Amino acid sequence: MKKFAVFGNPIAQSLSPTIHEMFAKSCAEEINYEKIEAPLDDFETTITHFFAAPQTVGCNVTVPFKERAFGMAMHKDDAVKMAKAANTLMLNSDGELCAYNTDGIGLVADLTNNGLNLKGTTVLLLGAGGAARGVIHPLVNAGIEQLHILNRTIAKAQDIADDANNPKVEAVSQQQLAAHYDVVINSTSASLSGNLPDVPDSLLATCKLAYDMVYAKDNGATVFMAHAQKLGAGQQLDGLGMLVEQAAAAFYIWTGKQPATANVIEYLRNC
Ligand code: NDP
């Protein structure tokens, strides 16, 4: 049986085993997918042991190990190089560790599934952590016209824009914000603590879509989504679809099979 896992600390909350087991069933794959809490001081050894087992195919990595997973890999694709953080690992045929970041593919797939054509759109990205870094390349590749990054700590947004090295991607201060964006994406972790990132109401009131990467509990709305809805944003979405789509991209990397996702998203929304 093919062996997979997700590594994090803590990890009890992870939905990844449920998601990948549903994918495997729909793709006629037999898998064993575990949650593993890696010790904070021994992540690298834990990963090395995991990949030493002959049935191991790959793993996901979550907070707080994504940067360390990136550091361990010999081979890195463009998205993971930009993110400097890996959420997916596997060995190539020479037994060398390869790192990927599928968060951005997941975000773009979820936006597209929800009827948004990103071509020519203007996007405001709130936050400049690992999740923000991971979505820059896929958003640019999806044909957006302009991507502004606004973060509480401006220097971190500037670092991302410098690394992106693309005229469409700019770090902005509150004073440099445009008057309108088609899409506002909240990649801050503020919603987790019930807080709102500092963004002018007028931008949320006039955007076509306000997207929160955090996912809503009990089928409700995050504070960011509720705020945007109250102000009149065209549509609000949480990050559950992104979570399932980034998992689907990882599953494809490991197996070459593209799993169906809509039924998984619906199942997680209702369970
Ligand atoms: P990081 O810790 O790397 O970055 C957090 C970011 O949030 C920083 O830019 C930080 O600002 C900002 N921030 C935190 N609290 C506040 C606040 N109260 N007000 C304004 N800004 C705030 O986290 P990640 O980038 O890895 O993840 C961010 C979020 O995205 C998490 O909630 C995570 O769950 C979610 N996520 C969802 C995914 C999905 O599939 N749906 C995938 C990946 C992440 P500063 O730099 O100033 O500290």
Side-chain angles (χ1 to χ4, degrees):
M1 193 181 287
K2 293 176 182 169
K3 192 172 150 69
F4 302 88
V6 56
F7 293 85
N9 189 329
I11 198 62
Q13 78 293 346
S14 176
L15 297 172
S16 292
T18 309
I19 296 171
H20 284 283
E21 279 154 18
M22 289 184 75
F23 288 166
K25 207 167 173 194
S26 69
C27 292
E29 287 278 352
E30 279 204 21
I31 69 162
N32 173 21
Y33 190 112
E34 288 178 81
K35 294 181 204 183
I36 300 179
E37 185 170 288
L40 292 173
D41 59 355
D42 214 9
F43 169 73
E44 288 75 8
T45 314
T46 312
I47 290 289
T48 304
H49 277 144
F50 177 73
F51 277 102
Q55 310 92 328
T56 296
V57 176
C59 70
N60 290 125
V61 179
T62 187
V63 179
F65 298 124
K66 289 183 181 184
E67 288 78 9
R68 286 164 71 179
F70 173 76
M72 285 182 75
M74 277 190 75
H75 299 281
K76 296 162 182 175
D77 72 358
D78 282 349
V80 84
K81 279 187 199 156
M82 177 67 212
K84 296 181 175 162
N87 69 351
T88 303
L89 296 174
M90 77 178 289
L91 296 181
N92 66 13
S93 51
D94 295 325
E96 297 160 341
L97 196 62
C98 305
Y100 308 85
N101 186 306
T102 63
D103 284 341
I105 301 172
L107 172 68
V108 170
D110 192 36
L111 293 172
T112 308
N113 292 344
N114 281 285
L116 186 80
N117 178 1
L118 281 162
K119 226 173 178 44
T121 53
T122 54
V123 179
L124 176 63
L125 180 62
L126 308 172
R133 277 191 166 274
V135 302
I136 303 289
H137 261 297
L139 284 172
V140 170
N141 291 343
I144 54 121
E145 180 56 34
Q146 183 181 55
L147 176 57
H148 279 175
I149 310 168
L150 176 71
N151 192 45
R152 190 173 61 174
T153 312
I154 292 178
K156 281 171 67 180
Q158 191 58 56
D159 275 354
I160 297 183
D162 291 347
D163 287 349
N165 192 24
N166 182 314
K168 289 183 174 172
V169 182
E170 284 176 80
V172 291
S173 65
Q174 295 279 346
Q175 294 70 33
Q176 293 166 321
L177 285 163
H180 167 80
Y181 296 92
D182 298 315
V183 184
V184 179
I185 300 171
N186 182 17
S187 85
T188 76
S189 44
S191 292
L192 292 177
S193 47
N195 292 313
L196 288 167
D198 190 11
V199 57
D201 285 354
S202 60
L203 295 181
L204 291 174
T206 56
C207 69
K208 285 186 203 158
L209 170 65
Y211 191 100
D212 197 346
M213 285 195 195
V214 168
Y215 39 92
K217 294 212 167 67
D218 305 324
N219 221 355
T222 67
V223 277
F224 179 75
M225 289 166 69
H227 184 60
Q229 183 175 27
K230 202 174 77 191
L231 292 169
Q235 190 185 359
Q236 309 82 39
L237 287 173
D238 76 349
L240 185 67
M242 174 179 171
L243 177 79
V244 174
E245 293 294 346
Q246 64 76 30
F251 191 88
Y252 180 77
I253 288 168
W254 296 327
T255 66
K257 294 180 181 174
Q258 193 71 62
T261 50
N263 61 321
V264 181
I265 296 168
E266 194 187 332
Y267 172 78
L268 293 175
R269 279 256 176 259
N270 296 310
C271 74

